[in-house]
Amino acid sequence: MTDYEDDQRALIEADAKERKQRDDNDIKHVMSSEHGRRIVWDLLVNGRVFASTFTADAQVSAFNEGQRNLALSLFSKVMAVCPDLYLTMADEASKDN
């Protein structure tokens, strides 16, 4: 590799690290308020993270799986960044029902 390629790779890696840190901070910010936790919980429930997506119609099942995939991505980020706030969120959701 050339010095130019090494420099470009370093810039790309630094940018990716900065974006990940920003995304992690965004998740922490949303999860730090009760309002944000309610929104995240609603997205997880409506995305069927905790339920089956199966229906007799294959197209509806595929659509449901797409929604679930997005919700699982959010769930994964929350669990990676602030698992303690996930537990708080789950506790608050159980008290709301």
Side-chain angles (χ1 to χ4, degrees), residues 1 13 15 17 21 25 28 31-32 35-36 42 44 47 52 54 58 66 73 76 82-83 95-96:
M1 293 202 144
E13 289 172 359
D15 187 50
K17 184 176 180 180
Q21 185 61 49
N25 289 340
K28 287 178 190 173
M31 290 294 291
S32 68
H35 301 289
D42 187 53
L44 296 178
S52 173
F54 176 78
S73 175
S76 175
C82 49
K95 290 176 183 174
D96 281 349

Side-chain angles (χ1 to χ4, degrees), residues 27-76:
I27 292 288
K28 287 178 190 173
H29 180 77
V30 170
M31 290 294 291
S32 68
S33 75
E34 187 175 348
H35 301 289
R37 289 189 298 271
R38 265 197 311 270
I39 290 170
V40 170
W41 186 261
D42 187 53
L43 290 169
L44 296 178
V45 169
N46 288 330
R48 296 186 173 131
V49 168
F50 312 112
S52 173
T53 60
F54 176 78
T55 66
D57 184 335
Q59 291 180 333
V60 173
S61 288
F63 176 80
N64 291 344
E65 277 298 311
Q67 287 186 308
R68 186 168 193 267
N69 187 47
L70 289 173
L72 284 170
S73 175
L74 175 60
F75 181 65
S76 175

